[in-house]
Amino acid sequence: MRLAIVGATGAVGHELLSVLEQSSLNFSELQLYASPRSAGSTLSFRGQEITVQVTPDGAIPADVILASAGGSVSKALAPAWVAGGALVIDNSSAFRYDDDVPLVCPEVNGEAALRHHGIIANPNCTTLIEVLVLAPLHRVYGIKRAIISTYQSASGAGARGMEELETQTHMVLHGKVAEASAFAHPIPFNLIPHIDVFQPNGYTKEEMKVVWETRKIIGDPNLVISCTAVRVPVLRSHSEAITLELERPATPEAARELLRHAPGVEVRDDPSANLYPMPLTASGKYDVEVGRIRASLVFEGGLELFVSGDQLLKGAALNAVQIAEYLQERGALKLGVGQV
Ligand code: A2P
């Protein structure tokens, strides 16, 4: 199986390489692509230096392409990659809402990946982190309404966002003025309730992604859900406060027990020991942390909870690799179709 990464030099590309190092995914060749800026540089993988190539305008000689170079690159080039015979697992939002493109979180709706037509979309990072927790609760208790508030790290804006947080924090601490570039406003010592572009309904696109994508992955187009997405000066890992109104009442104890058995989830919930989800403990971890599980004071029989998950891992790179693993384990990766 010939594997390619487009966007290999970015924040998610970096994580893809490290997840692939540990992965059981079986491949014979790894090709790395980025923009002309990075052409000729090398990245190391399992002790070997691999040269980064310029992303070509047309087909790529690979069986599976993990794309993480942004929506415009995917939109422009993925059709040619598919025409060349490759399966594209796309990390951008370019195809997520197309009816014939599965949007897949393997722990929740892995079987949807089997019905692809050349492109599988990797969901939005904030959605992936909550859907691992919401899907099992929905199955047992039926979510009537979900209200989500997010605390999203700088890593959501890629390597540029992380660098801006670090350099500007240093600048501000030394009395210098920070000019925002990756974000709409300076990020050090601030909160920015604005991620992606505003929509006609007053929500941001990031907030609507959570609504649209949670419904598509869970397979319930009527799920009532709303989100307020906020960028916070945290380097890595997104957190979310979630309020749930349920069809059937849940106790925190029963919810905790259910989530202990949910794949991809770690229950971290012992307030007496100051144990709860945090970006610092979630970073670098494959599982998403859930805790602060308590009975809702607003919705009788409902729940309040808090999740933290590594946006670059489960929220992006890890999920993409897990989709490829899911297909390979089921013998569903068609190889050698790409004749380029
Ligand atoms: P490069 O590093 O050469 O600019 P991030 O999300 O961290 O900003 O990373 C974006 C990734 O997408 C990088 O690997 C970047 O490569 C790559 N990229 C950006 N623009 C293009 C493009 N037009 N064609 C191919 N790759 C691109």
Side-chain angles (χ1 to χ4, degrees):
M1 195 259 276
R2 300 161 303 166
L3 185 63
I5 300 176
V6 177
T9 50
V12 174
H14 179 83
E15 297 304 322
L16 279 168
L17 285 170
S18 89
V19 171
L20 284 169
E21 292 238 5
Q22 320 286 326
S23 163
S24 58
L25 192 71
N26 199 359
F27 54 94
S28 55
E29 188 188 325
L30 179 61
Q31 306 160 26
L32 305 180
Y33 298 94
S35 82
R37 282 182 293 274
S38 312
S41 61
T42 61
L43 293 171
S44 115
F45 181 75
R46 291 183 179 157
Q48 258 187 298
E49 292 299 312
I50 303 180
T51 303
V52 177
Q53 307 176 57
V54 180
T55 308
D57 277 341
I60 285 178
D63 299 296
V64 176
I65 298 173
L66 305 175
S68 200
S72 50
V73 173
S74 290
K75 195 138 224 152
L77 299 177
W81 301 337
V82 175
L87 163 66
V88 180
I89 300 176
D90 183 37
N91 200 45
S92 82
S93 62
F95 305 104
R96 284 182 193 152
Y97 314 117
D98 293 7
D99 285 340
D100 64 345
V101 174
L103 183 68
V104 179
C105 172
E107 294 90 336
V108 178
N109 68 335
E111 68 295 338
L114 301 168
R115 298 189 291 271
H116 74 82
H117 302 285
I119 301 177
I120 296 173
N122 205 32
N124 161 270
C125 48
T126 311
T127 306
L128 274 170
I129 289 164
E130 52 79 358
V131 84
L132 281 173
V133 172
L134 258 55
L137 291 172
H138 187 52
R139 233 172 273 131
V140 174
Y141 299 107
I143 294 173
K144 228 165 150 181
R145 284 184 270 203
I147 302 165
I148 301 181
S149 301
T150 75
Y151 308 78
Q152 296 184 221
S153 61
S155 57
R160 222 174 116 228
M162 295 166 87
E163 197 195 317
E164 187 158 314
L165 173 61
E166 284 184 309
T167 56
Q168 294 199 346
T169 302
H170 191 264
M171 284 169 69
V172 171
L173 286 172
H174 289 80
K176 297 197 187 118
V177 177
E179 291 282 337
S181 155
F183 306 106
H185 298 276
I187 187 71
F189 308 101
N190 198 12
L191 301 172
I192 309 173
H194 174 186
I195 302 179
D196 211 331
V197 294
F198 282 99
Q199 305 292 289
N201 67 356
Y203 286 77
T204 61
K205 190 153 182 213
E206 179 78 1
E207 291 162 348
M208 293 314 297
K209 283 176 188 171
V210 169
V211 176
W212 299 326
E213 297 185 23
T214 304
R215 287 178 179 159
K216 184 166 175 177
I217 298 166
I218 287 184
D220 182 350
N222 299 317
L223 191 69
V224 178
I225 176 165
S226 89
C227 177
T228 301
V230 181
R231 185 76 69 197
V232 298
V234 164
L235 200 57
R236 186 170 170 146
S237 289
H238 292 352
S239 302
E240 306 176 38
I242 303 175
T243 301
L244 299 175
E245 183 182 19
L246 302 170
E247 303 277 358
R248 295 170 284 284
T251 63
E253 296 71 29
R256 233 172 260 129
E257 195 47 32
L258 175 72
L259 292 172
R260 264 191 205 106
H261 300 287
V265 174
E266 176 193 328
V267 176
R268 192 176 164 83
D269 197 13
D270 184 1
S272 67
N274 294 346
L275 208 67
Y276 28 70
M278 291 189 298
L280 276 187
T281 48
S283 291
K285 208 180 257 181
Y286 279 14
D287 285 351
V288 163
E289 297 180 347
V290 60
R292 301 291 324 279
I293 302 173
R294 57 213 192 275
S296 171
L297 297 179
V298 179
F299 298 118
E300 210 181 323
L303 294 170
E304 304 273 345
L305 38 96
F306 195 76
V307 295
S308 293
D310 193 316
Q311 167 273 329
L312 295 170
L313 287 173
K314 185 59 197 175
L318 175 63
N319 198 69
V321 173
Q322 285 172 331
I323 292 172
E325 288 170 349
Y326 182 97
L327 292 173
Q328 192 172 64
E329 280 159 17
R330 284 155 187 81
L333 281 181
K334 281 194 243 130
L335 306 186
V337 187
Q339 294 308 317
V340 287

